[in-house]
């Protein structure tokens, strides 16, 4: 698998999963509803790989599980995900056991490529990946550098894994991620040859009619009927030959209304928390909602930014200043203590002065001058 991304531009803090989804790797925590969310960075969305549909499901579970913490070994309790399978879960343990073994033995290697320079770095997905029969659990270990890259890639999507995990076609899953990442713009254009290359289509799909039937139309049926987005596509021709596809993407309002309704109580609680944090200023519900959106629902981030604002004098527009900080917030990695245990590490320090420089564009040239290797190695710190 080859991942193509612009790592030079990757300098943005990625928050934890939205707070209304709770999944504790110790096994004691349970999701507050059956709609579990994952974060998929753009580098993986646009990647070329040979993962099967079930192997892709495992990556969804992994992306739902890893967090911005000091851990690298996690467990996936399959019992927690049984409820999101629309057609039942009679064979889920058998299928995921096979997929776990196949992924590690056949498709564990991939590479990350910088589009601008062509430089490439090779990785493995997992240094350990195993399925335990008696427990019905998957255990995996992810490398320090790779984990940090996945968490900190600048462009990413949040999505409910119940949607792609129930698609029968692997192409539907891949196209769903691609379209979801352009939901905000409402369209994207892909050259036919590039799209076939990314999706690892067999040579038998060279004919456009076959590609349209097996890939585009199948994806249209599954995504439009069973996800939070809908799409149509149009053919772009050069002469008489179809050379590109333009996708038009809209939100599936029916699915999103259900989502908003189920989370209404939790959203109210989050708004109250924001208003309580900003106790020295009068914050409306609408302003609190905007802050939560900017912070990706991270109460800790909002608390840190507000604490910083309290150190400033005569801030004329507290809400505007807060939102500026939240949109560009960059959270450094924690530093472990020399004598402490695995989870005994120092309190993280937030460099707001550096953040403000970045917001003003003062460090733009310096950041662009870093080469690909420097960027990758930076994730090890």
């Amino acid at each position: 698998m080859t991942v193509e991304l612009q790592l030079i531009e990757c300098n943005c803090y990625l928050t934890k999963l939205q707070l209304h989804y709770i999944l504790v790797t110790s096994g004691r925590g349970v999701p507050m509803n059956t709609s579990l969310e994952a974060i998929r960075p753009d580098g993986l969305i646009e990647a070329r790989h040979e993962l099967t549909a079930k192997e892709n499901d495992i990556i969804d579970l992994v992306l739902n599980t890893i967090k911005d913490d000091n851990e690298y070994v996690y467990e996936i309790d399959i019992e927690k995900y049984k409820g999101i399978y629309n057609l039942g879960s009679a064979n889920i343990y058998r299928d995921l056991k096979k997929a776990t073994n196949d992924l590690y033995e056949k498709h564990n290697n991939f590479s990350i490529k910088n589009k601008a320079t062509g430089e490439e770095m090779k990785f493995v997905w997992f240094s350990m990946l195993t399925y335990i029969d008696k427990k019905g659990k998957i255990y995996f270990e992810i490398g320090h550098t790779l984990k940090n890259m996945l968490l900190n890639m600048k462009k990413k999507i949040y999505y409910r894994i119940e949607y792609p995990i129930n698609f029968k076609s692997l192409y539907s899953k891949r196209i769903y991620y691609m379209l979801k990442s352009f939901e905000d713009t409402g369209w994207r254009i892909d050259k036919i040859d590039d799209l076939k290359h990314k999706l690892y289509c067999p040579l038998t799909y060279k004919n456009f009619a076959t590609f349209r039937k097996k890939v585009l139309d199948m994806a249209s049926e599954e995504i439009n009927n069973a996800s939070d987005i809908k799409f149509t596509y149009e053919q772009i021709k050069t002469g008489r030959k179809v050379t590109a596809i333009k996708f038009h993407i809209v939100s599936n309002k029916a699915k999103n209304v259900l989502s908003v309704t189920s989370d209404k109580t939790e959203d109210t609680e989050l708004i109250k928390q924001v208003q309580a944090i900003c106790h020295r200023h009068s914050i409306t519900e609408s302003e609190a909602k905007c802050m939560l959106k900017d912070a990706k629902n991270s109460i800790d981030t909002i608390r840190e930014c507000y604490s910083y604002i309290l150190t400033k004098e005569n801030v004329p527009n507290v809400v505007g200043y807060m939102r500026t900080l939240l949109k560009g917030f960059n959270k450094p990695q924690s530093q472990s203590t020399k004598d402490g245990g695995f989870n005994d590490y120092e309190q993280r320090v937030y460099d707001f002065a550096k953040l403000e420089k970045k917001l003003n564009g003062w460090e733009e040239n310096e950041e662009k001058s870093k080469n690909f290797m420097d960027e990758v190695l930076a994730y090890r710190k």
Side-chain angles (χ1 to χ4, degrees):
M1 179 177 79
T2 300
V3 180
E4 294 187 349
L5 61 141
Q6 291 286 1
L7 283 177
I8 291 176
E9 297 178 0
C10 185
N11 197 21
C12 179
Y13 169 55
L14 182 63
T15 66
K16 297 180 181 179
L17 294 177
Q18 295 184 14
L19 295 181
H20 57 279
Y21 296 102
I22 301 175
L23 182 61
V24 182
T25 55
S26 64
R28 294 189 294 271
V30 295
M32 298 180 72
N33 58 43
T34 57
S35 296
L36 296 171
E37 215 173 55
I39 302 170
R40 183 171 286 252
D42 187 61
L44 298 186
I45 293 171
E46 303 297 335
R48 181 176 190 253
H49 61 69
E50 292 184 274
L51 294 179
T52 66
K54 289 300 179 184
E55 291 170 1
N56 186 85
D57 291 348
I58 291 176
I59 300 301
D60 275 335
L61 301 186
V62 168
L63 294 175
N64 171 254
T65 302
I66 61 173
K67 300 177 177 66
D68 184 17
D69 53 21
N70 206 36
E71 304 289 342
Y72 298 95
V73 178
Y74 296 92
E75 71 173 33
I76 298 172
D77 188 349
I78 298 173
E79 179 71 22
K80 294 178 180 178
Y81 297 92
K82 290 172 65 175
I84 66 176
Y85 283 85
N86 294 337
L87 299 180
S89 54
N91 298 320
I92 182 175
Y93 293 98
R94 180 199 66 189
D95 292 345
L96 290 181
K97 177 182 178 179
K98 181 179 185 304
T100 299
N101 293 333
D102 288 346
L103 195 163
Y104 188 80
E105 294 175 4
K106 299 177 182 179
H107 304 138
N108 197 30
N109 296 308
F110 69 101
S111 60
I112 292 178
K113 185 177 182 180
N114 184 299
K115 287 183 179 180
T117 65
E119 293 174 309
E120 189 173 271
M121 186 166 290
K122 298 185 183 300
F123 288 88
V124 294
W125 272 112
F126 308 103
S127 53
M128 181 269 290
L129 178 66
T130 186
Y131 177 91
I132 306 299
D133 271 311
K134 294 182 179 180
K135 293 186 176 182
K137 294 182 179 181
I138 297 171
Y139 292 86
F140 68 91
E141 181 175 3
I142 189 169
H144 176 93
T145 304
L146 177 59
K147 177 188 171 182
N148 288 340
M149 292 178 71
L150 293 178
L151 289 175
N152 288 283
M153 287 180 185
K154 186 173 183 179
K155 186 175 181 181
K156 70 279 181 184
I157 61 169
Y158 293 82
Y159 62 99
R160 296 174 185 265
I161 63 175
E162 66 188 78
Y163 299 137
I165 215 167
N166 282 295
F167 296 155
K168 294 180 180 180
S169 168
L170 173 63
Y171 302 124
S172 297
K173 299 174 189 281
R174 295 293 313 282
I175 289 177
Y176 171 77
Y177 305 135
M178 292 177 183
L179 300 185
K180 187 70 175 174
S181 69
F182 280 77
E183 184 181 10
D184 56 342
T185 62
W187 62 275
R188 68 175 281 163
I189 296 177
D190 288 273
K191 294 180 179 179
I192 288 290
D193 290 342
D194 290 345
L195 191 56
K196 290 179 180 179
H197 185 75
K198 288 179 186 177
L199 297 177
Y200 228 98
C201 293
L203 293 176
T204 53
Y205 288 17
K206 184 177 181 179
N207 179 275
F208 179 75
T210 303
F211 176 77
R212 179 177 58 196
K213 179 181 178 180
K214 298 288 188 180
V215 178
L216 299 177
D217 291 345
M218 174 67 76
S220 175
E221 180 180 354
E222 292 196 300
I223 293 172
N224 291 348
N225 293 326
S227 82
D228 56 343
I229 59 173
K230 291 185 176 183
F231 79 94
T232 57
Y233 66 89
E234 60 179 285
Q235 304 170 20
I236 299 176
K237 294 184 177 181
T238 301
R240 300 177 61 183
K241 182 180 180 182
V242 178
T243 54
I245 295 293
K246 183 174 183 178
F247 295 96
H248 300 275
I249 310 133
V250 296
S251 174
N252 186 341
K253 294 182 179 180
K255 291 286 184 180
N256 286 328
V257 167
L258 291 175
S259 170
V260 170
T261 302
S262 64
D263 295 333
K264 185 175 181 180
T265 301
E266 297 163 50
D267 290 344
T268 300
E269 291 300 317
L270 288 175
I271 289 170
K272 289 180 179 179
Q273 288 185 55
V274 172
Q275 291 175 323
I277 289 170
C278 303
H279 58 282
R280 296 190 185 181
H281 299 85
S282 179
I283 304 297
T284 67
E285 287 190 8
S286 177
E287 290 169 338
K289 287 181 181 179
C290 290
M291 290 184 193
L292 284 166
K293 182 179 179 180
D294 294 335
K296 300 296 188 293
N297 279 16
S298 172
I299 292 296
D300 288 340
T301 303
I302 293 174
R303 182 179 292 108
E304 292 295 334
C305 287
Y306 186 71
S307 296
Y308 174 70
I309 282 181
L310 292 180
T311 68
K312 309 287 286 185
E313 294 183 2
N314 301 321
V315 177
N317 184 351
V318 171
V319 174
Y321 195 77
M322 273 284 291
R323 295 193 64 188
T324 299
L325 290 176
L326 292 170
K327 288 177 181 179
F329 194 78
N330 187 11
K331 189 174 183 181
Q333 293 295 312
S334 61
Q335 301 295 322
S336 59
T337 58
K338 293 182 178 179
D339 301 322
F342 188 68
N343 290 317
D344 183 13
Y345 53 92
E346 297 174 358
Q347 182 66 36
R348 294 180 176 181
V349 178
Y350 300 88
D351 191 347
F352 286 99
K354 184 176 182 180
L355 169 61
E356 289 180 301
K357 287 183 179 180
K358 289 175 181 175
L359 292 176
N360 288 318
W362 297 343
E363 295 187 351
E364 183 177 356
N365 292 333
E366 179 182 350
E367 289 298 322
K368 288 184 177 180
S369 67
K370 291 185 178 181
N371 62 37
F372 182 52
M373 181 66 75
D374 288 340
E375 284 293 326
V376 173
L377 294 179
Y379 289 107
R380 296 186 57 82
K381 297 179 182 178

